[in-house]
Amino acid sequence: RHTRLQGDWSSDVCSSDLQDHASAIALIHDGAAKPSLGFVHRSGRGPEDLPSRNWRDSPIMTDPYAKNDPLIGMLVSNLNCLSDLAGILCVETRIAVMENDLTRMQRDLQTLDGIATHATESPILINAHFELRMRTNELQTLGDLLQKHPEKFTDQSLIEIAHRLARWNLRTPMMRACKGERLIFADMVQRIYTDDGHGNGRITKQEIGRAHV
């Protein structure tokens, strides 16, 4: 349904699909408005956590070191879900504009902002990337609507959109993500090397194998 909504957003069928799932859309709005979703990371290797057979047969999982547990592993499956939800809200925004429901459009945009913000709850580079991608999709949606249907927007709605975009702060999530990546790397290095207590040590065969995975 998500693919169909993205590909045929202007049709009556698309609008009908969204109406049929109004309760689910309402849950998206409610979730996006929360200050935090409380996602907790956990480690995972792949075969037992990812159902795709492509992953099971990938070189990373058939590597001779794969018998070892990875040194550092983190599942971020929530990002794909958030990305899908943002895609649906972009479609919802388009339909709201076409139906001259600017109040609904503003709420959709606010929800899109909330989803993108939730993507950066964890200070990791991939999270910041997803946030940028979501906000880019939002800008593309708005740009397309403004170019093709400028008559649908009132002066007040344009002011509200401008103020909303002006509140975006893309620098802070990226800075936090870089800091998080540095901490992950530093943690990995200290687990790979021995420490003689005087600033010296050596890399261990066992740990470099796990790092390779």
Side-chain angles (χ1 to χ4, degrees), residues 169-184:
N169 180 4
L170 301 181
R171 183 175 182 270
T172 298
M174 188 61 69
M175 294 290 288
R176 289 181 63 245
C178 290
K179 181 179 180 180
E181 293 290 334
R182 286 194 293 268
L183 289 173
I184 291 174

Side-chain angles (χ1 to χ4, degrees), residues 42-195:
R42 67 184 184 87
S43 62
R45 296 190 51 186
E48 62 271 27
D49 295 304
L50 300 174
S52 170
R53 292 189 176 183
N54 292 334
W55 273 95
R56 297 172 190 267
D57 301 330
S58 68
I60 240 182
M61 300 317 304
T62 56
D63 187 276
Y65 285 115
K67 62 183 179 180
N68 298 319
D69 290 331
L71 183 63
I72 293 178
M74 187 179 298
L75 298 178
V76 288
S77 55
N78 63 314
L79 295 179
N80 286 327
C81 295
L82 292 176
S83 181
D84 286 344
L85 295 180
I88 292 174
L89 262 294
C90 283
V91 177
E92 168 82 354
T93 301
R94 291 178 181 270
I95 293 178
V97 171
M98 297 305 298
E99 295 179 353
N100 298 310
D101 192 344
L102 297 184
T103 300
R104 177 179 161 196
M105 177 202 70
Q106 294 291 358
R107 186 185 182 192
D108 292 337
L109 293 177
Q110 183 176 359
T111 296
L112 280 167
D113 287 347
I115 293 174
T117 300
H118 285 318
T120 61
E121 287 183 20
S122 300
I124 308 171
L125 200 56
I126 185 65
N127 291 65
H129 167 75
F130 266 78
E131 184 207 20
L132 287 174
R133 189 171 75 176
M134 292 177 197
R135 295 198 186 279
T136 298
N137 290 340
E138 181 180 347
L139 287 176
Q140 290 175 339
T141 299
L142 277 172
D144 186 51
L145 289 169
L146 287 168
Q147 182 179 22
K148 295 180 179 179
H149 307 284
E151 75 284 354
K152 298 285 186 179
F153 294 84
T154 64
D155 290 343
Q156 183 59 37
S157 68
L158 292 174
I159 292 173
E160 292 177 1
I161 290 173
H163 287 175
R164 186 180 305 284
L165 297 180
R167 288 195 294 269
W168 285 8
N169 180 4
L170 301 181
R171 183 175 182 270
T172 298
M174 188 61 69
M175 294 290 288
R176 289 181 63 245
C178 290
K179 181 179 180 180
E181 293 290 334
R182 286 194 293 268
L183 289 173
I184 291 174
F185 182 77
D187 184 62
M188 182 179 70
V189 169
Q190 75 171 354
R191 294 173 188 272
I192 291 176
Y193 286 85
T194 62
D195 184 359

Side-chain angles (χ1 to χ4, degrees), residues 29-39 114 117-121:
H29 288 305
D30 292 342
K34 294 181 180 298
S36 172
L37 294 181
F39 180 77
T117 300
H118 285 318
T120 61
E121 287 183 20

Side-chain angles (χ1 to χ4, degrees), residues 18-35:
L18 289 174
Q19 290 177 7
D20 291 343
H21 296 82
S23 58
I25 298 295
L27 289 176
I28 298 175
H29 288 305
D30 292 342
K34 294 181 180 298

